[in-house]
DNA sequence: TTCGTTTTGTTATGTTATAACATTTACAAC
DNA sequence: GTTGTAAATGTTATAACATAACAAAACGAA
């Protein structure tokens, strides 16, 4: 497995051209879906783009309203179905504590990230740490619990908002 | 800090008299609220009892319907207010990935648990592990993120359902 | 007993998510 | 290219989860 000990979505202060992130993510998604033999339809791609466009985690109904603005009346299932597809393919993550979604920048391999959510600016960074993964797995194993999915979210203040 | 490296709510198969758990928890809650100078009113106490009575995590509206059965018409804010109070006092935990609540058996000290949630039987065990706490804190500190609250939930199969 | 605070009641509404079924689209087999 | 089938989308309705706002009651200190 590739080394993921990185902050994949930089904190809000990180000066990066988010447009590039989006383009790259969409291209990767396209390739990935082809290689998996699944269809990244226009609707799904557009939802993925809207999720990425929003720098911060975005709620399903916010995606819905943006979609409605550009395409006329749209109903919740349209959005939820696209989101479900994207979740299945690992192209986005759901932040449980926010009921919101963020793009994933390394969807190739299955993984559970650690999400650092700033209560002040609302930004969310996805972090990976093999030690954390191992530590938690050790614990669940020791208890005879067969772990399948993990939710790990930390709420607090990002470096920019601490300052 | 007391040693919490234990499974505080046993897995569903654990043969324990749950009624005792409930009684003990209610007594403790009573004492704790007195010592903190906050009021564990009848409504709050009853909600706490209902949460404990349910061996598995219980949703706010399930609490509501039980409350309505015994006390006549009850509205959501009644339940949510009680749940909020109990959360503030650390007497219950919220499971984000289930939108549900569980009693906490060691509310004296503030803590963030690890919740093991069985997708089969629906049981949830609260576990504590200082190494996990430290590992995660190390990571957030290293990134300059000031952690305040943590959500750590693992979904899978409990020992009984694996077998 | 009076006053201010906390708690509860009540009504309404906001937010998040899915069920169920009709229609359309993609695409492989012929 | 037509046709059959599966996948995807459209559409309507509703379920599930949560809070805002204001009125009334209960509590407890002065």
């Amino acid at each position: 497995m590739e080394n993921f000990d990185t902050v994949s979505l930089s904190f809000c202060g990180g000066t990066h051209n988010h447009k590039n992130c989006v383009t790259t993510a969409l291209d990767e998604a396209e390739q990935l879906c082809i290689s998996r033999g699944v269809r990244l339809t226009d609707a799904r791609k557009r939802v993925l783009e809207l999720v990425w466009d929003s720098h911060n985690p975005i709620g399903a109904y916010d995606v819905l309203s943006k979609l409605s603005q550009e395409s006329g009346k749209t109903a919740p299932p349209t959005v939820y179905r696209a989101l479900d597809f994207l979740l299945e393919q690992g192209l986005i993550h759901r932040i449980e504590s926010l009921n919101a979604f963020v793009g994933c920048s390394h969807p190739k391999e299955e993984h559970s990230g650690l999400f650092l959510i700033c209560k002040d600016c609302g930004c969310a960074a996805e972090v990976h740490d093999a030690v954390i993964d191992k530590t938690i797995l050790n614990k669940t194993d020791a208890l005879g619990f067969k772990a399948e999915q993990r939710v790990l979210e930390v709420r607090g203040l990002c470096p920019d908002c601490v300052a």
Side-chain angles (χ1 to χ4, degrees), chain A residues 144-160:
Chain A
F145 187 90
K146 191 182 170 214
E148 296 186 356
Q149 295 169 258
R150 193 188 78 192
V151 175
L152 178 49
E153 299 167 11
V154 175
R155 190 174 178 77
L157 289 173
C158 75
D160 298 305

Side-chain angles (χ1 to χ4, degrees), chain A residues 7 9-16 55 116-118 123-125 127 157-160:
Chain A
V7 180
L9 186 61
S10 61
F11 287 110
C12 35
T15 56
H16 74 289
H55 204 177
L116 306 183
I117 302 153
C118 180
C123 75
V127 174
L157 289 173
C158 75
D160 298 305

